[in-house]
């Protein structure tokens, strides 16, 4: 039975990856930070089938101990401070988790001397003020937030450990991806949840920031499959995972409202200047050709299908909340 250790297992991607690996017959271990509040909502249904280990990306010894305990064949480093606006409020903490934390995890893998395959969650935010359209694995990086800068560090330290120590280390440059398990602070989930609540008469309107930004938006379930596929290749490498399409944030709003039959969406949306960012990423669109060719990876849902499934999930969630309260 292959063994995997996932940092950030209680996040969106971590929870889907855990399900995917269990389906493949893996024994799954997850690194979690101790907390006095509830943080396991996304993995509670897996509790009987996974082993949670206490640790923190800031604490080198806890990572060494987790690798020793899990004896993993594969390590997926998905933990970190993941929300771009927070990275301006907590820039050094973001650097510690999202940047230096990668080195700590890589060191734990290296020191184990075991032939562990390592996956690093890199991000299209590294492309920031893009110097090329569409973005590929070879596009120069120009991050636009402390989060993006930290991800650039994490990406290059992964490449460096591969080249320095011959580690099987892959960096997945994942473009935006969402799902019903995404946090409510990210735009797609914020919109789908608000549209569901507005449709059900629970909320009058919705405050948003810059709707001109464009993103390449995919479905998280498809993206965790790509992580695993990268680690099954004969050689470690870096891959862009994206749909190859770009849509404005206004389009997300429009399609989400249209899904519940509302066409005058501007009547329900307020632009709040507080939600604008000090520096913006205006346009992201990835070229996933390498992943298509080498991994045979392709997304399973198109843009409209994705927005529709998000709204449907939030409608179901809001309705079931009514039944239980
Ligand atoms: P990101 O690409 O990782 O920053 O993902 P987000 O979902 O947080 O933001 C995507 C884009 O939506 C960015 O360009 C934001 O400026 C824009 N945006 C506009 N309004 C909002 C909002 O209310 N919340 C968030 N999170 N983003 C917004």
């Amino acid at each position: 039975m292959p063994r995997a250790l996932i940092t950030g297992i209680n996040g969106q991607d971590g929870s889907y990856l855990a399900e995917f690996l269990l389906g493949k017959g893996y024994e799954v271990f997850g690194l979690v930070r101790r907390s006095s509040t509830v943080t396991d909502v996304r993995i509670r249904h897996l509790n009987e089938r996974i082993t949670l280990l206490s640790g923190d990306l800031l604490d080198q010894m806890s990572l060494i101990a987790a690798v020793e305990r899990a004896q993993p064949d594969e390590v997926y480093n998905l933990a970190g401070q993941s929300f771009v606006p927070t990275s301006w409020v907590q820039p050094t903490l973001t650097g510690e988790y999202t940047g230096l934390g990668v080195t700590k995890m890589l060191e734990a893998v290296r020191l184990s001397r075991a032939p562990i395959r390592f996956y690093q969650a890199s991000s299209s935010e590294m492309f920031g003020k893009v110097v090329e359209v569409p973005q590929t694995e070879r596009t120069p990086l120009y991050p636009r937030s402390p989060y993006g800068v930290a991800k650039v560090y994490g990406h290059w330290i992964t490449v460096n450990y591969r080249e320095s120590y011959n580690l099987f280390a892959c960096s997945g440059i994942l473009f935006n991806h969402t799902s019903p398990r995404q946090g409510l602070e990210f735009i797609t989930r914020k919109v789908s949840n608000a549209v569901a609540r507005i449709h059900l008469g629970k909320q009058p309107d919705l405050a948003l920031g810059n709707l001109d930004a464009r993103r390449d938006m995919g479905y998280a379930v498809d993206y965790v499959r790509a992580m695993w596929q990268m680690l099954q290749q004969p050689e470690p490498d870096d891959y862009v995972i994206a749909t190859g399409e770009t849509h404005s944030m206004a389009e997300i709003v429009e399609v989400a409202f249209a899904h519940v039959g509302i066409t005058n969406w501007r009547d329900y949306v307020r632009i709040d200047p507080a939600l604008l960012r000090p520096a913006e990423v205006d346009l992201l669109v990835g070229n996933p050709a390498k992943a298509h060719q080498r991994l045979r990876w392709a997304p399973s849902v198109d843009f409209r299908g994705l927005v529709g499934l998000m709204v449907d999930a939030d409608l179901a969630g809001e309705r079931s909340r009514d039944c239980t309260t």
Side-chain angles (χ1 to χ4, degrees):
M1 203 187 216
R3 301 156 75 96
L5 171 63
I6 304 172
T7 75
I9 194 167
N10 45 25
Q12 167 187 260
D13 289 4
S15 65
Y16 284 125
L17 180 64
E19 280 170 17
F20 177 83
L21 294 175
L22 287 169
K24 291 263 171 214
Y26 277 68
E27 186 169 358
V28 174
F29 296 82
L31 191 80
V32 287
R33 278 181 295 162
R34 201 207 79 83
S35 171
S36 57
T37 52
V38 177
T39 57
D40 70 343
V41 282
R42 297 186 181 94
I43 52 169
R44 206 173 292 154
H45 62 295
L46 304 174
N47 261 352
E48 309 281 288
R49 304 169 64 202
I50 59 179
T51 306
L52 297 181
L53 306 174
S54 184
D56 192 308
L57 278 193
L58 300 190
D59 186 337
Q60 181 76 71
M61 283 312 299
S62 71
L63 304 182
I64 292 170
V67 170
E68 209 165 87
R69 165 73 181 84
Q71 300 277 313
D73 299 291
E74 298 170 4
V75 169
Y76 294 86
N77 185 41
L78 311 186
Q81 194 300 97
S82 65
F83 190 46
V84 170
T86 299
S87 77
W88 277 285
V89 183
Q90 300 183 315
T92 58
L93 186 85
T94 301
E96 296 275 1
Y97 273 110
T98 307
L100 270 183
V102 185
T103 310
K104 294 202 175 79
M105 200 61 239
L106 282 163
E107 277 293 281
V109 167
R110 183 178 76 87
L111 291 169
S112 77
R113 296 177 178 276
I116 297 170
R117 296 188 168 206
F118 179 86
Y119 173 85
Q120 167 59 15
S122 289
S123 163
S124 56
E125 285 291 318
M126 302 191 303
F127 296 122
K129 192 172 179 184
V130 298
V131 299
E132 183 177 61
V133 179
Q135 296 85 51
T136 74
E137 294 79 6
R138 310 218 67 82
T139 299
L141 307 176
Y142 190 151
R144 289 275 277 175
S145 62
Y147 169 83
V149 174
K151 280 289 182 190
V152 171
Y153 175 88
H155 171 72
W156 280 113
I157 200 70
T158 302
V159 174
N160 181 260
Y161 268 53
R162 179 167 76 217
E163 295 175 356
S164 303
Y165 302 114
N166 210 18
L167 287 189
F168 193 109
C170 296
S171 173
I173 307 172
L174 271 51
F175 281 61
N176 292 63
H177 47 285
T178 187
S179 74
R181 289 189 197 166
Q182 192 176 33
L184 286 165
E185 66 273 33
F186 294 91
I187 189 154
T188 317
R189 182 74 205 292
K190 181 175 176 179
V191 169
S192 64
N193 185 255
V195 165
R197 291 176 58 84
I198 289 168
H199 180 67
L200 298 173
K202 295 181 175 191
Q203 177 175 325
D205 58 10
L206 164 66
L208 291 171
N210 174 18
L211 298 185
D212 295 328
R214 302 182 69 87
R215 290 289 185 277
D216 183 323
M217 189 67 73
Y219 184 33
V221 172
D222 291 332
Y223 286 47
V224 302
R225 188 172 71 247
M227 298 174 186
W228 175 79
Q229 287 176 310
M230 286 177 215
L231 297 197
Q232 312 314 308
Q233 299 309 302
E235 298 295 333
D237 209 337
D238 308 322
Y239 295 89
V240 158
I241 303 298
T243 68
E245 274 182 34
T246 188
H247 296 274
S248 71
M249 300 303 100
E251 280 177 82
I252 294 182
V253 179
E254 185 187 338
V255 172
F257 273 101
H259 193 72
V260 295
I262 299 175
T263 50
N264 56 334
W265 63 268
R266 287 183 195 276
D267 294 348
Y268 295 90
V269 172
R270 284 180 288 119
I271 302 302
D272 180 352
L275 293 169
L276 302 176
R277 299 174 179 190
E280 180 61 282
V281 173
D282 296 319
L283 166 69
L284 291 176
V285 56
N287 177 352
K290 182 174 170 183
H292 285 173
Q293 281 159 16
R294 304 238 187 114
L295 308 179
R296 301 268 162 245
W297 179 86
S300 68
V301 193
D302 67 7
F303 177 71
R304 278 178 186 277
L306 177 61
V307 175
L309 80 80
M310 295 285 294
V311 174
D312 287 341
D314 273 312
L315 280 170
E318 289 295 327
R319 286 187 176 121
S320 77
R321 193 161 304 140
D322 292 344
C323 297
T324 53
T325 53

